[in-house]
Every structure is written in C-alpha cells, then in structure tokens.
Amino acid sequence: MRKFLARGSVVVAFLASLIVAAPANAGSPLDNPPDDEIVIDLVAMAGSGCAPGTADVAVSPDNTAFTVIYSNYLAQAGPGISVTDGRKNCQLNVLVHVPHGFTFAIAKVDYRGYGFLQRGATASQRANYYFQGMTQGTYVNHNIGAPLDDNWIVSDDVPIAAQVFRPCGELRNLNINTELRVAKGTSTDVSYLTMDSTDGSIATIYHFAWRQCP
C-alpha cells in the first residue's frame, strides 16, 4: 500500500476571480463560531457523480464545518470502460441557515476519497464554489499520483483577505461544484477514484469562517 497526501497552500488560481472586499456591513472575523444551531438544506444536486439520493450534508456539532457525504461518486478508466466513465461531476446547491446577526465564508475545504490507480494512469480532483448571484470562481485542480491503492486527501486553504462572505441578511444558496477524472494513460488495467462514504468515514468537509453583522 502507498499512502497519498496532498495539501494545497495558498491557492492563487482558485482565488483570483474571488478576491473581493468583505461586505461593508460585516464585522471582523470571529475566533469562535455562534452558539446557536445551524441548519443546512440540500436544495438540489445534479451530475453524473451524485444521482438523486446519493449525497447528503451535515453540520459539525461545534458549528465550525459542514460535511458532504457521497455514496456513489466514482470515476474509472481501463479496458472495456466507456470514456465517459472517466469523468464524473457533482453540483450541489445548499442553503445555510445561520443565527441572526452572523454571516459566513468558506475558509478551507478538505476533499477525501479512495483511489486504485495503476502505474501509468492519471487522475485528478477539482472543485469550486460560489454564492448565488456572485462571481463564479475558477476551478482548483489537484493531480493525484499513480500508482495508488489507498485513501487520498487534498485541501484548499483560503487566506482571510480572499474569503468571500455571504452578504449580511441575505439568503443566498451556496453552489459547490466538484469533479473527478481518471484516464488509463499508459496503464493496461482498470483504475478508479472515488469520493464516497461506503464505510462512513470518507467525506468532503467545508470549514466555516464567521463574521458578526450589525
């Protein structure tokens, strides 16, 4: 077995089209999240990687993050496998209900899954997110090296100056777009990459940053 771990530093490409000033009516970043309950509604999902009923979201008990769990998100390539199976995507539309007087941004994203990649195969994961009615950010791409037969994780960290906060007092849905790609390259056998939760331990986690509104 070979362990794969990749962690993005400052993801400049991802942030280039998202760098905006925080809303004028939002205060300074908070060290601690609000105590009141946060509710997240999965409004819609679409894509070849998340057929209806195969994704769900949950909020962490301390209100610092939410998790997206997939049950059938798999890209694969190799003999006898259609080229279209090598690219899977999912677009989630979620509505985050936060306590009155607070707003939030996404400060960090952790993507996790499992990979079985033959030597010579290529694979990647990419994602972006944006609030409804605001500029759609460019995708950030993570190449996942082969050979691999283990869990994988990639992380994107958003600097404070570039965090995009939802405007205070507005209910704007958050769009989350992800994609997995696998190509057989020079390999001669099947390779695949998943982002799923068949054992309940693999998930995609989005970490909140908080501000207090007037």
Side-chain angles (χ1 to χ4, degrees), residues 56-80:
D56 202 0
V57 296
V59 181
S60 65
D62 61 1
N63 289 344
T64 61
F66 70 92
T67 301
V68 181
I69 301 174
Y70 303 93
S71 61
N72 192 27
Y73 199 160
L74 178 145
Q76 57 184 335

Side-chain angles (χ1 to χ4, degrees), residues 74-77 80-88 180-182 191:
L74 178 145
Q76 57 184 335
I81 296 175
S82 170
V83 174
T84 58
D85 286 335
R87 177 183 177 273
K88 298 292 181 175
L180 294 179
R181 293 189 180 191
V182 177
S191 295

